[in-house]
Amino acid sequence: MKQNSTFSILLFQLIFVLMGCSTSNEEKQDQNQASNTNVPTVSVDETSSKKTIIFFGNSLTVGYGLEKEQAFPQLIQQKIDKLALPYTIVNAGLSGETTAGGLGRVDWIIGQQKPDIFVLSLGGNDALRGIDPNNTKDNLEKIIDKVKKVNPQCKILLAGILPPPNMGDDYFKAFEKLYPQISKEKNTYLLPFLLEGVAGEPSLNQADGIHPNVEGAKIVANTVFKSLQPLL
């Protein structure tokens, strides 16, 4: 009986240790998952007092080829923080995104966090693929409608893009008119050209000639912030 009792105690202790190890591993996995998420971590007090700016775009928004903190939305967050403005930026860019892809993705983004300001900068990949500008216009307008449905008071900044010259003069002119037309029809704020002062400048772009380098991203951030600041 004494041996059985001793064995039971040892068995109980072993089970308890194993359970402790399992719990510890699960906690570590949860911590790792939390550290890998792209969703900004905001305290309860900050959530109640800060408004949300969503940057919804493609690889230009993501900061392709740059460190995360070098992407222009993150540089704008630094400007906002220095001015002590109550806004938190969410970088919802996705490399390779077209306006059609954005239309299919936007519901999930604005369903996660209702935007107070929405910066829409899609269309570059449409232009590179030679997609009909009318399709691009339709997709962008539907994205704007979805954002306004979630928050009718949301301020929307539409950032335009231009196709490369090799797409032809007619195609270039169609895109040049596209964003002002949408902005007027949908009553949004407008930044005519996202890459103003950067596009076509080898010293401000990466080797692909499309994506801004570190210095180019700083210029883009300044350009966007000039249009964004009056909305804050």
Side-chain angles (χ1 to χ4, degrees):
M1 291 292 291
K2 185 176 182 181
Q3 290 178 343
N4 289 339
S5 176
T6 300
F7 177 79
S8 298
I9 293 173
L10 290 173
L11 180 61
F12 176 80
Q13 290 176 338
L14 178 61
I15 293 172
F16 181 80
V17 170
L18 291 174
M19 290 177 63
C21 291
S22 175
T23 302
S24 177
N25 289 334
E26 290 176 358
E27 289 175 349
K28 288 180 180 178
Q29 290 176 356
D30 290 341
Q31 290 172 356
N32 289 335
Q33 290 174 354
S35 65
N36 290 332
T37 182
N38 290 324
V39 179
T41 54
V42 183
S43 69
V44 174
D45 290 339
E46 288 176 329
T47 302
S48 61
S49 62
K50 286 192 174 183
K51 295 182 178 181
T52 300
I53 304 173
I54 293 180
F55 279 80
F56 192 70
N58 48 37
S59 56
L60 297 174
T61 301
V62 173
Y64 175 86
L66 304 175
E67 297 296 328
K68 181 179 178 181
E69 64 273 9
Q70 295 171 333
F72 80 82
Q74 274 67 32
L75 296 177
I76 291 175
Q77 180 72 74
Q78 294 172 20
K79 294 177 183 292
I80 287 174
D81 292 343
K82 285 181 180 179
L83 294 172
L85 298 172
Y87 290 90
T88 296
I89 283 176
V90 175
N91 189 332
L94 180 65
S95 292
E97 186 86 294
T98 61
T99 57
L103 180 59
R105 186 169 66 99
V106 69
D107 283 328
W108 186 85
I109 296 296
I110 58 181
Q112 299 296 305
Q113 202 157 12
K114 185 173 73 172
D116 296 286
I117 297 176
F118 191 86
V119 181
L120 176 56
S121 54
L122 285 174
N125 288 312
D126 291 42
L128 290 174
R129 299 181 187 190
I131 293 175
D132 186 341
N134 290 323
N135 289 341
T136 299
K137 182 175 184 290
D138 185 57
N139 291 332
L140 289 171
E141 289 180 340
K142 287 179 179 177
I143 290 172
I144 292 169
D145 289 342
K146 286 177 177 288
V147 173
K148 288 184 175 180
K149 185 176 181 180
V150 168
N151 181 12
Q153 304 305 316
C154 181
K155 299 174 183 178
I156 299 175
L157 175 61
L158 180 62
I161 201 73
L162 294 172
N166 63 356
M167 298 301 294
D169 190 53
D170 290 343
Y171 193 78
F172 185 92
K173 289 181 178 178
F175 255 84
E176 192 175 33
K177 297 176 182 177
L178 186 67
Y179 293 90
Q181 288 176 347
I182 296 172
S183 181
K184 183 178 180 180
E185 292 173 9
K186 292 298 180 180
N187 193 28
T188 74
Y189 297 88
L190 176 66
L191 170 59
F193 187 33
L194 177 67
L195 299 177
E196 183 68 40
V198 176
E201 294 292 335
S203 63
L204 297 175
N205 287 277
Q206 298 175 46
D208 60 14
I210 297 174
H211 298 93
N213 58 22
V214 174
E215 293 305 314
K218 291 178 182 178
I219 294 175
V220 175
N222 289 335
T223 299
V224 176
F225 191 65
K226 286 179 183 178
S227 295
L228 182 64
Q229 195 168 14
L231 282 61
L232 302 178

